[in-house]
Amino acid sequence: MRQRSGGSGDTPRERHPLFQIDGVTVRFGGLTALEDVSLAAWPHEVHGVIGPNGAGKTTLFNVCCGFTAAESPSVRWRGDPVPPPRPHELAARGIARTLQGLGLFRGLTVLENVMVGADRFRRSGFASALFGLPRSVADERAVRNRAQRALRDLDVDGCAAAYPDSLPYPIRKRVALARALVSEPELLLLDEPASGLGHDDMGELGELVRGLSDRMAVVLVDHHMDLVMSVCDRITVLDFGRVIATGGPDEIAANPAVVRAYLGEEAHT
Ligand SMILES: Nc1ncnc2c1ncn2[C@@H]1O[C@H](COP(=O)(O)OP(=O)(O)OP(=O)(O)O)[C@@H](O)[C@H]1O
């Protein structure tokens, strides 16, 4: 595990998590999906969220993305209080996410899909785009270049002209990741990044995610213990909507409450 920021030479700001959310309670009618849950994502760390089925992982992910509202959570960005995230503000706030369903536009090529993710770098307004003014043309070229770079970084630039439906699932997952990364986020939220991947693709994904933590904080929700244990610096374990443990992979693997929660799950499957 890498040294967390905060040692000699760090700026004081790096003593805080990049993103911290506390007091997350979500109720769906009579069902409490999350009760007073906290999550802190540190710069340059990969933070895993795990837990048995129905523990509240997706709900927590959705709160972090602003898809689901929690009851008055406290949110901090580099230690400063900020309003809870809202989906349309994520890119502007330095947050990107990939979803289980990938969410690629079927009618757009791979390159065009990734260009959508780079939208925040456009500087020209609607009118100059409409009339093809020079600034808008330069903008378009810059956004296209960024998108091509993002595809190259993920080794999928060869399918830039293809439509998502024509590509194998692991490639589509990379495209979805490229679309998230092209916005150059400080915080990347990954929902089930390993779902549907075979062993080899999962190994490559693990290396990729580890590499990303040089540039950003990563939060990932996933069922695959191998991936979570090998890739994450810190892990939050949920069970029945509550945090039952937080710590490094070794601490988590040895935590009796975590073992009990997962054994309980096996007993019910
Ligand atoms: N929109 C909703 N309306 C009602 N109940 C919901 C809703 N979303 C989630 N729940 C319930 O909230 C609880 C937590 O669900 P959530 O999907 O967050 O768990 P999870 O840990 O992601 O589960 P899984 O591993 O099975 O995906 C579950 O009991 C689920 O049935």
Side-chain angles (χ1 to χ4, degrees), residues 62-165:
N62 287 342
V63 170
C64 293
C65 297
F67 294 144
T68 297
E71 292 174 10
S72 41
S74 140
V75 184
R76 288 177 180 269
W77 185 261
R78 294 191 194 284
D80 295 326
V82 291
R86 295 200 291 177
H88 62 281
E89 297 170 347
L90 291 179
R93 287 173 68 161
I95 303 172
R97 83 285 187 276
T98 67
L99 305 175
Q100 274 183 59
L102 303 188
L104 296 172
F105 299 111
R106 304 174 73 177
L108 299 184
T109 65
V110 160
L111 180 63
E112 288 162 347
N113 264 282
V114 178
M115 286 173 71
V116 172
D119 232 33
R120 80 177 176 113
F121 297 108
R122 285 183 199 276
R123 287 172 302 151
S124 56
F126 175 73
S128 46
L130 188 65
F131 296 114
L133 299 182
R135 183 167 183 176
S136 151
V137 172
D139 245 17
E140 184 73 8
R141 196 179 310 124
V143 164
R144 181 175 292 269
N145 287 343
R146 276 180 189 278
Q148 278 165 337
R149 237 180 359 253
L151 288 171
R152 233 179 357 255
D153 286 349
L154 291 175
D155 272 339
V156 283
D157 48 323
C159 55
Y163 286 88
D165 284 356

Side-chain angles (χ1 to χ4, degrees), residues 205-224:
L205 174 75
E207 282 173 31
L208 193 65
V209 171
R210 267 281 21 128
L212 292 176
S213 66
D214 287 344
R215 293 186 266 154
M216 62 195 74
V218 181
V219 173
L220 72 87
V221 172
D222 211 285
H223 280 102
H224 296 86

Side-chain angles (χ1 to χ4, degrees), residues 28 31-33 51-60 100 192 221 223 238:
F28 296 113
L31 183 130
T32 303
N53 288 335
K57 303 179 295 294
T58 301
T59 306
L60 180 57
Q100 274 183 59
E192 302 278 356
V221 172
H223 280 102
L238 296 175

Side-chain angles (χ1 to χ4, degrees), residues 177-225:
L177 189 54
R179 189 176 58 180
L181 293 175
V182 77
S183 69
E184 296 181 8
E186 290 180 84
L187 173 65
L188 176 67
L189 306 169
L190 301 173
D191 191 14
E192 302 278 356
S195 71
L197 296 186
H199 185 266
D200 290 351
D201 287 320
M202 208 182 307
E204 284 179 16
L205 174 75
E207 282 173 31
L208 193 65
V209 171
R210 267 281 21 128
L212 292 176
S213 66
D214 287 344
R215 293 186 266 154
M216 62 195 74
V218 181
V219 173
L220 72 87
V221 172
D222 211 285
H223 280 102
H224 296 86
M225 280 299 185

